[in-house]
């Protein structure tokens, strides 16, 4: 909706205008001249003759594509269909008299001209057809039709006037009687009946009939009913046809239904005409006599075959079926766009069935880049063949979606990690089932994809040493637990492969399904931390290094980038594979789609979670749905979103995303809301962002008040900053992005104004609430409300964040109690003002829209009760939260999941060595003269020369001994670690991969590292005599060769490998350019703080002044309602006063409303109405998406295709998922049960049970593919197990048998192929030996040796 289009050229404008003018003129002649002169049966048959121009253009555009394409036969069928059309029209025209004889074929020709565009081709033989096929009307069609829509109305009305002139009537009655035609008016009609009515008399001839004139009155609502019925039924037919094409049921629900529309209509008409002939009062109330059809008279055979020329209609049916035969073999993708499904965006409501059939696109819409026209189709085909010869996999494997699931983690707790890991295991299991079907059964699964998971762990190492922190260990521990819960059995993953990297380290697992899981451990002393920089890491690594640095043709890189997707995740997200499939469907549907997000469901417990459940619900139901429908979604959240690789690689997206914040606005826009900023960059580059309501994901949300306010303190300013950035440059964005238009920008501007005036609006609402609930004067209500707001502003200015949050929580509790009283006040006000008062209507509008939205989202209906919490917290969330966010605009830390900073071991050792040197140095004696060690409650020293201790006391000997014992233990551990073989590179016996040594050898960087490391450890023995506190520094490891974290037992004894030289170079260059830790500069930090405070002050001043002016204006107008007001026309009350005798005074009391308040409420009502309508449209789109992803057997495709696809796509994958499960009953088939009772303890076979359990664990398949092969083989060889598994499921059994046959066929084919290769290699070897015995021979004449 509201798409931006290009301006058409003169030819692109006038040629469609010409054809559509012909179409509209033909429709007017058909409606006003031809159809009134026919009976209803003849008129219905005539509608099948309106494809003359499509048949002609199809004949002229037909060309030979290959030697075996039956071009001559197809052209003959086109010519035959055209001849049948012309012959039928000629026969009917001859049977007519007067003007109808020539108007009938002319109207058919003109009407059919409206569908010309669908039947011209770019590669046509005839030059005029080729010229029309190259007009390229797709990108500028909407601007042309803005004019055409009005022009066709004028032409149609002109045809109406022309029909009056042709009929000999005066067209002026169209204007003089226009008003009366919509109301009751006289109608003259003639009654024809026999002269004598007696059944016993013989039949009376026509000469004995007489005609009598009568006059009746029309039904005033008949015209309105006819118009509404015509509009709604045509619209419903168009939407239903479009819907059927979108979800993939075109053959049954579109082609068949429309092809049978005229025959079924004829049958229905003849039936009703028969009922009407038997009983003239049949359906008299619904169809008045003067509006009923003009039914044919006489016998059906005589009338249909001879008088009506029914045989001509049969010829038309055949010709029309051939012209529209393309609708039976659709080429479509799921959820295809309307402009791709149909040629023209409009439909003809008078001929909706013919319009849909002939307007359904025949040829796939060509895609051109930069407006350049492609060559002839032969050249395009030759280019494709050449490109395919260079790279045979270009058109197949490169089209497979490659999904990189990239999660960012920091300080998530174990339960949150498990949810995300369980989602990864579910994706791994789903991908394994699809890969097995593709590998072993050649199942062409349209949803097949490749998967790789990456987790980027921020601040993964402790600050005391180079060991991983507790969060990384929690992740490693949670991995197998998550797998156990998904697979419902105990799994054992191989230890992870460990990679030292320039940014810290990397762990690599192979999951049971065969997909890879990489955990990137970031050391914030080596690489920049926080979420945005983790996103930069995986974007450049996966798209820049893994894709663009591949040595493949550019065309392949382009295709791979288009089908490479990054699934951005948070560390606590929970989702299912189906949610990802729905997002991939959106990506496949629209190549211009840069990002897609799903429905995020917050989970947790507590009142704050209840608030967020309702807030997320209405935000997705209304806001995101509206953005999706009328423009683009502005924010695709990083917790669960799919990004297209090609879009991220575009200029000014990924490169600009690496921008380091240097200005105060950058800190707010770039670092506080990185997800929204990334989407802003995509929108500014012309990409679309969409929202899928059916793609569900669960995420943990803040459960505490302070945590929630801290999170929103980041979100509120960043949201405003990004929207302001988009609106500030809206003209360029509209030119660049076709999905962003001026109406959409206007909508966002209204929302921005509403957000800015939100605090003032809530303040005024509180004044009105106090007045209504407590009957306090307005001015006193103003003072009562200004005091807590001013107090909170003062607290936010002069206190720390903890104090601000405490005050905000207290005020929120107070406001919640007040809002409870407001509910009672609202009910009282509704009773006083009536249900038609503006406040009452607005309340009903808001509440009604929420309830209807909840009903339309049945799975989320339970969010509606949480709206009570949302209601009572409105002052807190829209007043206090905004103030808190603005007052802390200068605070750029995240504030959530933060931990207290630890002291690094380097700092501790440096302080201890410095203290030791001071004691042993020149001035050390000054500190050693004291007789014993003492400590004071208060100490003062001067540069270490003099020390003053007050309230001294001797150090307790017991405490000192404990410290000494702790130091000796620490020294002993360090010495032991130095003497162990695993402690250094010299004696280390660590597991390395076979390629590790080669990778180290091939990199000069590693050679340098090894030399430096050996030199560093050569003098190790001489260091034992030094102070033990510097042993740890001498024992320094190299972070790229033998980092300390590799020996961590919690990471398990996995294989150690090293990065290739190419990847190492990439990371070094990448980090040097973008990701090195920011150096701390006290002056710059102070300057940034000052600038941020200045930005905060400016923002606060702007918000304060705007809201202050708004509040004062509305408040003063409320106090002057008696003089400055708008009278509300609804809900007026009346006072009756009796004054003596018979005098009665009647006084009308209307509500008086202040103008600005009415305007503001009206704007909010308009916004809510727009959002409600867009929500309905989006719900229909979501319903289409769900149906398109669901296999409907009886109406999707023909029977044979359904049988095959159902066996190898739906049921086949279901069987594979069943057989690939790692859980195999665990002894259930052996009948092993525990029958031990209280007295059977001595009879328990404990050791035997443990041995069986151990044996079962060792025999369990290592991965999903092995489990499937074993289960499939076992099931194929055991009919009994098939009976048990497929009990009562005949379709599943047949599917399994088909899978078994397909597996056997593929195995035989591969075996024969390998045998031929082996025989060929043996034959070549014997031929080469024979040639060696015979001497050299040369088949090329140039190198043929001359015989002597």
């Amino acid at each position: 909706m509201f798409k931006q289009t290009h301006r058409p050229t003169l030819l692109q404008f006038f040629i469609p205008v010409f054809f559509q003018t012909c179409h509209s003129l033909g429709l007017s002649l058909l409606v006003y001249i031809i159809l009134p002169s026919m009976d209803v049966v003849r008129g219905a048959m005539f509608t099948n003759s309106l494809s003359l121009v499509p048949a002609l253009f199809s004949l002229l555009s037909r060309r030979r594509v290959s030697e075996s394409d039956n071009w001559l036969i197809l052209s003959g069928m086109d010519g035959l269909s055209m001849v049948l059309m012309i012959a039928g029209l000629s026969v009917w025209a001859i049977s007519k008299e007067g003007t109808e004889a020539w108007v009938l074929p002319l109207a058919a020709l003109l009407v059919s001209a409206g569908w010309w565009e669908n039947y011209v081709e770019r590669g046509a033989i005839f030059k005029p057809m080729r010229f029309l096929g190259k007009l390229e009307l797709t990108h500028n069609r909407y601007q042309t039709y803005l004019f055409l829509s009005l022009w066709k109305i004028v032409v149609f009305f002109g045809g109406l006037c022309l029909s009056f002139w042709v009929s000999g009537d005066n067209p002026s009655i169209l204007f003089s009687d226009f008003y009366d035609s919509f109301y009751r008016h006289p109608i003259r009609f003639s009654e024809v009946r026999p002269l004598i009515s007696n059944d016993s008399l013989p039949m009376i001839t026509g000469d004995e009939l007489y005609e009598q004139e009568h006059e009746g009155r029309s039904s005033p609502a008949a015209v309105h009913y006819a118009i509404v019925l015509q509009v709604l039924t045509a619209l419903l037919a168009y939407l239903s046809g479009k819907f059927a094409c979108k979800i993939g049921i075109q053959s049954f629900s579109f082609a068949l239904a429309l092809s049978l529309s005229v025959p079924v209509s004829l049958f229905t008409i003849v039936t009703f005409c028969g009922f009407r002939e038997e009983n003239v009062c049949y359906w008299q109330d619904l169809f008045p006599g003067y509006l009923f059809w003009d039914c044919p008279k006489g016998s059906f055979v005589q009338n249909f075959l001879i008088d009506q020329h029914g045989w001509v209609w049969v010829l038309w049916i055949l010709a029309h079926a051939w012209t529209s035969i393309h609708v039976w073999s659709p080429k479509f993708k799921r959820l295809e766009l309307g402009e791709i499904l149909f040629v023209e965006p409009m439909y003809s409501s008078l001929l909706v069935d013919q319009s849909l059939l002939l307007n359904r696109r025949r040829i796939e819409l060509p895609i051109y880049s930069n407006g350049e026209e492609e060559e002839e189709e032969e050249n395009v085909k030759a280019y494709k063949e050449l490109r395919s010869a260079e790279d045979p996999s270009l058109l197949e494997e490169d089209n497979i979606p490659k999904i990189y699931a990239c999660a960012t983690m920091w300080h998530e707790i174990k339960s949150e990690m498990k949810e995300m890991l369980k989602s990864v295991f579910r994706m791994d299991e789903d991908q394994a089932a699809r890969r097995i079907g593709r590998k072993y059964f050649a199942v062409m699964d349209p949803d097949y994809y490749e998967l790789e998971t990456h987790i980027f762990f921020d601040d993964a190492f402790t600050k005391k040493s180079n060991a991983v922190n507790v969060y990384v260990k929690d992740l490693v521990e949670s991995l197998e637990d998550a797998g156990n819960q998904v697979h419902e059995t105990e799994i054992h993953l191989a230890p992870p492969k460990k990679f030292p990297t320039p940014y810290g380290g990397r762990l690599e697992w192979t999951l049971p399904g065969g997909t890879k899981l990489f955990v990137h451990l970031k050391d914030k002393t080596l690489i920049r931390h926080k979420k945005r920089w983790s996103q930069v890491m995986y974007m450049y690594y996966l798209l820049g290094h893994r894709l663009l640095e591949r040595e493949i043709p550019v065309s392949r890189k382009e295709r791979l980038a288009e089908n490479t997707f990054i699934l951005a995740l948070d560390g606590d997200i929970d989702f299912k594979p189906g949610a990802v499939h729905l997002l991939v469907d959106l990506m496949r549907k629209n190549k211009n789609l840069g990002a897609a997000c799903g429905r995020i469901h917050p989970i947790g417990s507590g009142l704050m979670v209840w608030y967020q459940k309702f807030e997320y619900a209405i935000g997705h139901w209304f806001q995101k749905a509206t953005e999706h429908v009328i423009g683009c979604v502005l924010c695709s959240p990083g917790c669960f979103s799919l990004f297209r690789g090609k879009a991220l690689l575009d200029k000014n997206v990924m490169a600009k995303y690496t921008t380091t914040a240097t200005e105060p606005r950058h800190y707010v826009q770039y670092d506080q809301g990185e997800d929204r900023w990334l989407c802003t960059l995509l929108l500014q580059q012309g990409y679309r962002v969409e929202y899928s309501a059916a793609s569900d994901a669960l995420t943990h949300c803040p459960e505490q008040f302070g945590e929630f306010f801290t999170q929103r303190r980041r979100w509120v300013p960043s949201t405003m900053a990004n929207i302001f950035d988009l609106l500030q440059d809206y003209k360029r964005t509209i030119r660049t992005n076709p999905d962003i238009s001026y109406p959409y920008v206007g909508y966002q501007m209204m929302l921005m104004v509403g957000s800015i005036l939100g605090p003032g609006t809530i303040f005024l609402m509180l004044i009105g609430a106090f007045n209504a609930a407590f009957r306090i004067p307005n001015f006193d209500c103003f003072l009562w409300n200004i005091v807590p707001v001013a107090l909170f502003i003062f607290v936010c200015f002069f206190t720390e964040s903890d104090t601000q949050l405490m005050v905000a929580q207290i005020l929120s509790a107070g406001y919640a109690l007040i809002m409870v009283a407001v509910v009672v006040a609202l009910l009282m006000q509704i009773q006083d003002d009536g249900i038609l008062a503006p406040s009452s209507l607005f309340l009903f509008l808001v509440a009604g829209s929420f309830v209807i939205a909840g009903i339309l989202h049945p799975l989320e209906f339970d969010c509606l009760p949480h709206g009570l919490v949302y209601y009572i917290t409105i002052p807190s969330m829209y007043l206090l939260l905004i103030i808190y966010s603005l007052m802390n605009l200068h605070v750029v830390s995240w504030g959530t999941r933060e931990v207290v900073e630890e002291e690094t071991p380097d700092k501790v050792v440096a302080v201890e060595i410095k203290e030791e040197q001071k004691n042993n140095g020149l001035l050390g004696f000054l500190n050693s003269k004291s007789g014993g060690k003492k400590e004071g409650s208060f100490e003062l020293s001067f540069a270490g020369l003099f020390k003053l201790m007050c309230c001294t006391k001797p150090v307790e000997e017991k405490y000192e001994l404990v410290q000494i014992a702790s130091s000796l233990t620490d020294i002993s551990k360090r010495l032991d670690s130095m003497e162990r073989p695993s402690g250094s590179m010299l004696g280390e016996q660590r597991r390395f991969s076979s390629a590790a040594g080669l990778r180290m050898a091939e990199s000069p960087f590693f050679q340098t590292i090894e030399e430096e490391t050996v030199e560093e450890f050569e003098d190790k023995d001489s260091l034992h005599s030094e102070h033990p506190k510097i042993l740890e520094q001498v024992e320094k490891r190299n972070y790229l060769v033998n980092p300390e974290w590799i020996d961590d037992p919690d990471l398990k004894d996995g294989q150690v490998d090293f990065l290739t030289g190419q990847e190492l170079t990439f990371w070094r260059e990448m980090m040097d350019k973008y990701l090195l830790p920011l150096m701390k500069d006290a002056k710059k930090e102070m300057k940034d703080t000052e600038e941020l405070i200045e930005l905060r002050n400016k923002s606060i001043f702007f918000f304060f002044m705007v809201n202050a002016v708004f509040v004062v204006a509305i408040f003063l107008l409320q106090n002057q309602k008696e003089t400055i007001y708008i009278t509300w026309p609804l809900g007026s009350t009346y006072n009756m006063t009796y004054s003596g005798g018979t005098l009665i005074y009647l006084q009308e009391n209307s509500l008086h409303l202040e103008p600005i308040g009415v305007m503001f409420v009206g704007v909010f009502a308009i916004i809510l109405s727009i959002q409600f309508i867009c929500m309905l449209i989006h719900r229909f789109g979501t319903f289409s998406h769900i149906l398109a992803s669901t296999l409907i057997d009886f109406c999707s495709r023909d029977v044979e295709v359904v049988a095959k696809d159902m066996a190898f796509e739906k049921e086949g994958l279901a069987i594979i998922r069943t057989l690939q499960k790692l859980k195999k009953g665990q002894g259930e088939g052996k009948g092993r049960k525990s029958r031990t009772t209280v007295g059977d303890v001595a009879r328990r076979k404990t050791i035997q049970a443990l041995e069986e359990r151990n044996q079962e664990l060792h025999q369990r398949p290592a991965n999903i593919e092995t489990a499937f092969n074993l289960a499939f083989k076992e099931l194929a060889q055991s009919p009994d197990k098939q009976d048990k598994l497929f009990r009562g499921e005949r379709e599943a059994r047949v599917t399994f048998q088909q899978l078994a046959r397909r597996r056997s066929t593929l195995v035989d084919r591969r075996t024969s192929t390998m045998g031929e290769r082996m025989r060929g290699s043996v034959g070549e070897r014997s031929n080469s030996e024979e040639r060696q015995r015979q001497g050299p021979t040369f088949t090329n004449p140039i190198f043929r040796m001359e015989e002597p």
Side-chain angles (χ1 to χ4, degrees), residues 52-67:
L52 182 59
V53 170
L56 175 62
F57 280 20
S58 178
L59 174 63
L60 298 178
S61 299
R62 186 80 67 179
R63 60 188 175 83
R64 184 185 296 275
V65 179
S66 62
E67 295 295 333

Side-chain angles (χ1 to χ4, degrees), residues 1228-1240:
E1228 293 174 3
K1230 300 178 182 180
R1232 184 177 60 195
K1233 284 188 177 181
S1234 177
R1235 300 181 180 177
T1236 304
T1237 59
V1238 178
D1240 294 334

Side-chain angles (χ1 to χ4, degrees), residues 248-310:
I249 55 174
Q250 177 173 323
S251 298
F252 181 86
S253 301
F254 181 83
L256 180 62
L258 293 178
S259 299
L260 296 178
S261 60
V262 174
V264 172
S265 299
L266 284 176
F267 176 79
T268 306
I269 289 170
V270 171
T271 302
F272 276 92
C273 285
F275 292 151
R276 189 77 172 197
E277 187 175 358
E278 294 179 359
N279 180 14
V280 294
C281 295
Y282 181 75
W283 273 16
Q284 178 68 26
D285 296 334
L286 185 62
F287 288 106
Y290 69 93
L291 289 180
F292 199 80
W293 300 311
D294 183 12
C295 297
K297 306 299 182 181
S299 65
F300 175 78
V301 176
Q302 173 70 22
N303 180 70
F304 183 77
L305 295 180
I306 300 175
D307 297 341
Q308 302 287 351
H309 301 96

Side-chain angles (χ1 to χ4, degrees), residues 757-774:
L757 296 178
T761 305
I762 299 302
F763 185 80
L764 291 171
M765 183 205 72
L766 290 173
I767 294 177
F770 270 68
N771 178 265
F774 307 113

Side-chain angles (χ1 to χ4, degrees), residues 25 49 51 156 158 165 198 226 307 375 426 518 550 574 617 803 818 854 944 1002 1053 1071 1081 1124 1165 1209 1221 1306 1345:
L25 184 59
S49 67
S51 56
F156 192 80
W165 176 76
N198 192 342
D307 297 341
E375 300 295 331
R426 284 192 289 262
F518 299 89
R550 293 177 61 181
D574 181 14
T803 305
I818 294 173
E1002 72 181 10
D1053 188 18
M1071 292 171 61
D1081 187 346
I1124 304 175
E1209 291 179 14
K1221 288 185 177 297
L1306 291 177
M1345 297 180 62

Side-chain angles (χ1 to χ4, degrees), residues 726-754:
L726 196 66
L727 297 179
Q728 192 177 20
D729 197 17
Y730 72 94
K731 291 184 178 180
R732 187 185 68 83
T733 306
I734 290 175
R735 289 195 304 267
T736 305
N737 197 318
D739 294 297
I740 293 182
S741 58
Y742 285 100
Y744 179 72
V745 171
Y747 168 77
Q748 291 295 339
M749 286 183 176
M750 286 193 298
L751 291 184
M752 176 63 78
V753 172

Side-chain angles (χ1 to χ4, degrees), residues 609-614 862-871:
V609 176
W610 293 359
Y611 169 85
Q612 291 172 85
K613 283 186 176 182
F614 186 81
D862 58 343
C863 295
L864 287 181
H866 301 144
L868 297 176
V869 178
Y870 183 87
Y871 172 75

Side-chain angles (χ1 to χ4, degrees), residues 761-811:
T761 305
I762 299 302
F763 185 80
L764 291 171
M765 183 205 72
L766 290 173
I767 294 177
F770 270 68
N771 178 265
F774 307 113
R775 304 300 180 182
I776 303 177
N778 278 344
F779 188 75
D780 294 340
C781 295
F782 184 89
L783 294 179
W784 275 102
N785 280 277
I786 198 67
V787 170
V789 174
L791 173 64
F792 187 64
I793 293 175
F794 178 83
V795 170
C796 291
F797 254 121
F798 297 104
T799 63
E800 298 295 330
S801 178
D802 293 340
T803 305
Q804 300 174 28
L805 293 174
M806 180 186 67
V807 175
Q809 194 166 0
I810 295 173
L811 292 177

